[in-house]
Every structure is written in C-alpha cells, then in structure tokens.
Amino acid sequence: MDGPHCHSTDPALAGCELTIALRAYEIEVFDTDAASVCTHARSHGSAPTDSTGPASQLALLSVKANAWQNSQVRASLSDDVRAYMDSLEKADLGAEMRLMRDEAARSGWAATKQAVELAYAATGRIDSASVAVSAARIAVDDAIPYDEPIDLGEHGAVFKREARSP
C-alpha cells in the first residue's frame, strides 16, 4: 500500500479481491460486496509496522470462527491446544476466541497465549478463570519482591494467645 506497513484482514479472504480505503488516520478494507471487513489505525513513516500478528486477528476470529483454520492464532498455538480447538463446534470456538481476545486486551498476546497453554495442560480445557489468573501473573512477571524477609512469628504468637483466652 504505502510504505513498509503490513495490515491483516480476514484470513478466509486470502486470494480474494479487496478494496482498500486509505484515510488520514485509518485504513479500511472492503470485500467485493463493499462490506467493511476491518479497519486499522494508519501507520506513517519509514519504520516498518505490522498489525498482522496473532493478537490482531482475535477480534475477527471471535465473530468469524470459520477463518480459524487459516489464522496466525491457530498456527502460533501448540499442537495439543490446536487439536483441542480444532475439535470444537463453531460456537464454542468463537467463545474461546472471545476469551482470548478479551484477555489479550488486558494482559497482552504473549501472556494470553502462555496462559491458554498452561490452562489446557493443567485441566484439558480452556476456561476464563484459569486463563485470567495465569495471564495476570505472567504479565507482571512473578511474585512481588520484598525488601526484607517476612517473619510471621509474631503473627502466629498473637493467634496462639487469643486461642488460649477464655
């Protein structure tokens, strides 16, 4: 289009003729029926940009699950998770895409992908609670560092005294 910028669209439209509207601040893609397929913020300058990563496809996949087979999201997942997702009915696959879309918006694609992999490995399914907790933890990168070691000795002593009190 204009410059070293890449933008994604519905993978199901691969090989189809599309119309691109270049505007000052956005790029909109239309199919042969003049229906809007997607809109991207327009990138400027000579530095390459890329909106074709897996996370950029999640919104579209959440409403058009048929594009799953050709998606970068599918290609980026482990064989086990991919096989699980491939086995889902279209409605369930769309629900998983919405779960991943929402979590990627909160925690980023890398944390979401890792959380989905962990949830599936631990439970054999992908559920919102497992993914949300894992992604949040991954996104903040481990535990909170403390300046000094924590000593719960005084805390325990207080409870022992209260337990003895009549």
Side-chain angles (χ1 to χ4, degrees):
M1 288 187 307
D2 82 309
H5 310 292
C6 295
H7 303 283
S8 64
T9 189
D10 183 346
L13 295 172
C16 295
E17 186 173 317
L18 301 171
T19 302
I20 311 290
L22 293 174
R23 298 187 178 103
Y25 299 104
E26 68 183 15
I27 295 170
E28 190 166 7
V29 180
F30 298 90
D31 65 14
T32 54
D33 297 327
S36 179
V37 175
C38 64
T39 303
H40 294 281
R42 186 166 178 189
S43 300
H44 298 277
S46 59
T49 61
D50 189 349
S51 68
T52 62
S56 69
Q57 294 182 341
L58 290 170
L60 187 61
L61 289 170
S62 68
V63 293
K64 294 187 176 186
N66 287 340
W68 164 252
Q69 291 297 322
N70 300 318
S71 72
Q72 289 183 18
V73 174
R74 183 180 184 277
S76 71
L77 296 172
S78 70
D79 291 342
D80 291 342
V81 173
R82 187 178 318 117
Y84 166 75
M85 302 281 273
D86 286 349
S87 74
L88 296 175
E89 296 293 324
K90 184 178 173 183
D92 294 332
L93 181 59
E96 299 290 13
M97 292 298 106
R98 286 187 291 282
L99 183 156
M100 293 172 70
R101 173 200 65 198
D102 296 346
E103 193 54 51
R106 282 189 294 273
S107 303
W109 169 246
T112 299
K113 178 183 176 281
Q114 190 176 350
V116 164
E117 302 279 351
L118 289 170
Y120 182 76
T123 65
R125 63 190 184 95
I126 300 168
D127 66 278
S128 60
S130 298
V131 171
V133 169
S134 293
R137 181 139 199 263
I138 293 163
V140 298
D141 197 27
D142 283 326
I144 300 168
Y146 291 95
D147 294 335
E148 299 174 16
I150 299 170
D151 179 14
L152 297 178
E154 290 183 36
H155 183 270
V158 168
F159 281 105
K160 283 181 185 175
R161 275 186 261 140
E162 287 181 10
R164 287 187 224 147
S165 300

